[in-house]
Amino acid sequence: MIKNLSTIKKDFNTILKEDTAYIKGDLKHLAKYFFKRQDKFIRLAKENKSPFYIFDQKEFDIAINNFAKTFTRYIPRLKIYYAMKSNPHPYLLTRIVKVGHNIDVSSGRELAIAAKLKPRSILFTGPGKTEDELQLALKHTDRVILNIDSFTELSRIGRLAAKHKRKISAGIRIFTPLHGLWSKFGIPLNDLSTFWKEAQKYPYIDLQGIQVHMSWSDNAEPYIKVIKEISKYLMLNFSKTHRASIKFLDLGGGFMPYKTEGIHPWSTKQGAVINAIAKASNKQIDFSDSYYFEKTATLEEYAKSISNAVNTYIAPNLSCDIFVEPGRILSTYAMHILLKVADVKSTKKIITDGGINIIGWEKFEEYYAPVLNLTHPSTTEIPCTIFGSLCTPDDIWGYSCFASKMETDDILLIPYQGAYTYTFRQEFIKSLPNVVKL
Ligand SMILES: Cc1ncc(COP(=O)(O)O)c(C=O)c1O
């Protein structure tokens, strides 16, 4: 059945021994922080029909500020493009524009929404852009930078731009051997020089930069590696004049929020292997901890290391702006979810009035987020499975609750749930809740 079992066996053994990829800790301080503000949330729960999303502008502002301040301190030529795919609610988008940042979009639909808000600049990145989407980009050449995804797209946009006589600013997305499945996007770094020359054939394309994106980067290492590779490539393959035409290097998003949620032991690499072995041998496994934190860099660590790499490898050879496309590191903090206890089936089995269609995926089977009982607050957690009210057992919010007890109608808050939840929401069985401003 398996061709390369011996190599896999070796990997299995390494993973089983690996105990260092995660760190212990808890989120008691987060519970305390939100319990301090509990009156505000309780008032909202009285005024609105549960369940609902809460937009928390104060927390969003803090996240934007922290990110912008820390990154610009280390990288003065930084431009921030908020990745709206992580949460496109108008409250977030208008706030981003109001505080002077830009928007990163990935479809014509997102572009249409962003353009109405008139941010200074919009990056349009994504594979397989349709003719309609490219036409829309051409309507907004005053603010759009099109990150081209392939040679085919170059000729398509080149032809369209010439037809409409509209000059468009552009970048080219590249991937390197580090990118794995993410090599679906862009062209191989090795083709960059050919692409750059090819683009010069299109008078209405103003190619200005290079874009690269890596997802879920726990630390700055992937950014550093890719900066090094791009710089090495440019030194070998681009003349000084060609290098001078590069106006931006766009490093994408992928920055992880710092310790806002944990990962359950069975979802760690080691835990998954142990679980699979236990299942195959009909054994029950009890994990010793309920969650761990992934080793994620702080903002300071990301910014400092990326700045070092930029200063060492990029700045001496080309003078360009650095773009970033942060999504989750900003939107995580912008929204919380409020639910009520609909039924206490036993002390260990709680049913809430909201299903995980609110967040669109079975996130909390894998990840831990604190569930706070605002009606019966406590800084210790009661073990209980908190289900939603959908007709599926995967409808789980968590396996414990910061509560002194659990009763019907109790108000529950799950803080910092703004990223890739509201975006993924779906009308599965239940309708979608409202977004309420705090
Ligand atoms: C091109 C691009 N930029 C930015 C992002 C935002 O990533 P994150 O939310 O991890 O910062 C994504 C997410 O997939 C992306 O594909």
Side-chain angles (χ1 to χ4, degrees):
M1 190 162 77
I2 301 166
K3 269 190 186 164
N4 50 349
L5 190 58
S6 58
T7 22
I8 289 175
K9 260 188 191 162
K10 235 164 67 197
D11 289 345
F12 256 47
N13 288 334
T14 320
I15 290 168
L16 282 172
K17 275 185 221 141
E18 184 184 298
D19 227 354
T20 52
Y22 303 95
I23 34 179
K24 287 190 184 192
D26 65 54
L27 287 176
K28 217 175 247 191
H29 62 283
L30 205 63
K32 281 187 190 160
Y33 177 65
F34 276 89
F35 281 141
K36 266 194 204 154
R37 303 164 72 200
Q38 77 190 79
D39 291 351
K40 281 188 178 180
F41 297 111
I42 291 174
R43 191 166 358 107
L44 280 193
K46 283 188 181 143
E47 291 164 359
N48 297 276
K49 205 166 150 314
S50 156
F52 53 89
Y53 307 93
I54 298 169
F55 171 64
D56 191 335
Q57 187 173 300
K58 186 181 146 214
E59 291 296 320
F60 191 39
D61 281 355
I62 294 173
I64 300 171
N65 238 320
N66 282 345
F67 186 89
K69 256 198 193 158
T70 313
F71 267 72
T72 42
R73 181 153 31 97
Y74 287 102
I75 310 169
R77 290 186 65 174
L78 187 87
K79 267 192 169 179
I80 295 172
Y81 288 80
Y82 169 61
M84 70 178 274
K85 62 176 80 65
S86 75
N87 190 324
H89 191 278
Y91 285 154
L92 278 80
L93 297 182
T94 41
R95 196 66 198 154
I96 281 284
V97 175
K98 179 112 197 263
V99 297
H101 299 304
N102 311 288
I103 300 182
D104 164 54
V105 305
S106 272
S107 67
R109 180 178 158 268
E110 286 192 342
L111 174 56
I113 296 169
K116 279 193 190 137
L117 301 170
K118 299 194 177 353
R120 226 172 288 149
S121 177
I122 298 174
L123 278 172
F124 182 6
T125 314
K129 297 183 198 77
T130 63
E131 186 130 338
D132 283 353
E133 290 177 321
L134 296 176
Q135 300 265 22
L136 186 63
L138 288 172
K139 272 197 189 147
H140 297 284
T141 46
D142 51 340
R143 61 188 90 241
V144 164
I145 300 174
L146 186 78
N147 274 329
I148 299 173
D149 202 67
S150 69
F151 282 87
T152 314
E153 195 167 283
L154 171 64
S155 70
R156 203 174 281 155
I157 186 66
R159 179 176 44 78
L160 277 176
K163 186 173 147 198
H164 296 288
K165 296 201 168 28
R166 289 186 74 91
K167 194 153 187 163
I168 187 159
S169 306
I172 169 66
R173 183 166 184 167
I174 59 104
F175 68 86
T176 71
L178 297 169
H179 275 82
L181 269 184
W182 288 77
S183 56
K184 157 183 167 180
F185 306 96
I187 61 165
L189 176 60
N190 279 337
D191 289 351
L192 184 60
S193 164
T194 315
F195 187 94
W196 212 268
K197 284 180 199 135
E198 184 71 16
Q200 309 314 313
K201 293 181 188 160
Y202 297 93
Y204 287 90
I205 303 291
D206 179 15
L207 187 59
Q208 303 178 346
I210 302 164
Q211 196 260 7
V212 64
H213 166 76
M214 292 136 301
S215 198
W216 296 71
S217 306
D218 288 340
N219 56 59
E221 205 50 42
Y223 302 92
I224 297 169
K225 280 190 183 152
V226 95
I227 288 169
K228 260 191 206 172
E229 281 205 39
I230 291 175
S231 149
K232 194 168 125 198
Y233 178 88
L234 292 177
M235 292 311 286
L236 285 174
N237 297 283
F238 271 52
S239 67
K240 211 172 168 187
T241 331
H242 267 136
R243 287 205 302 275
S245 63
I246 301 173
K247 300 282 184 296
F248 70 82
L249 174 62
D250 176 357
L251 295 172
F255 310 100
M256 302 298 287
Y258 188 71
K259 288 189 182 173
T260 49
E261 53 194 28
I263 182 165
H264 291 302
W266 54 85
S267 305
T268 65
K269 269 190 212 154
Q270 194 194 43
V273 169
I274 293 167
N275 229 1
I277 295 169
K279 236 182 185 174
S281 35
N282 267 334
K283 293 215 166 81
Q284 173 82 25
I285 287 282
D286 287 324
F287 289 99
S288 48
D289 301 294
S290 59
Y291 63 93
Y292 300 99
F293 293 114
E294 285 166 284
K295 277 190 178 162
T296 309
T298 60
L299 270 178
E300 185 88 10
E301 286 162 350
Y302 276 122
K304 200 172 171 180
S305 307
I306 293 172
S307 146
N308 278 343
V310 167
N311 291 339
T312 312
Y313 302 103
I314 300 293
N317 307 317
L318 52 142
S319 164
C320 65
D321 290 333
I322 301 294
F323 294 176
V324 282
E325 303 165 1
R328 72 188 75 226
I329 200 156
L330 303 181
S331 56
T332 291
Y333 302 90
M335 267 190 190
H336 320 305
I337 289 167
L338 190 138
L339 310 158
K340 275 188 182 166
V341 174
D343 203 345
V344 179
K345 295 204 130 177
S346 72
T347 50
K348 290 266 158 64
K349 206 189 287 174
I350 310 296
I351 311 282
T352 60
D353 61 357
I356 55 151
N357 64 308
I358 295 176
I359 55 164
W361 55 300
E362 296 88 350
K363 177 175 176 181
F364 299 113
E365 283 187 326
E366 229 178 296
Y367 296 98
Y368 163 89
V371 182
L372 317 179
N373 186 326
L374 301 181
T375 316
H376 296 113
S378 167
T379 48
T380 53
E381 285 176 280
I382 294 178
C384 57
T385 307
I386 305 167
F387 291 97
S389 41
L390 302 179
C391 305
T392 155
D394 298 316
D395 184 20
I396 288 171
W397 292 104
Y399 300 93
S400 59
C401 187
F402 281 97
S404 54
K405 59 179 171 178
M406 299 295 277
E407 285 183 349
T408 309
D409 287 334
D410 281 1
I411 302 164
L412 307 182
L413 184 79
I414 312 178
Y416 295 154
Q417 290 305 317
Y420 302 101
T421 50
Y422 175 77
T423 321
F424 290 174
R425 74 201 186 283
Q426 46 180 300
E427 264 180 348
F428 173 55
I429 304 178
K430 296 211 154 190
S431 49
L432 299 172
N434 290 329
V435 178
V436 173
K437 208 170 181 172
L438 189 62

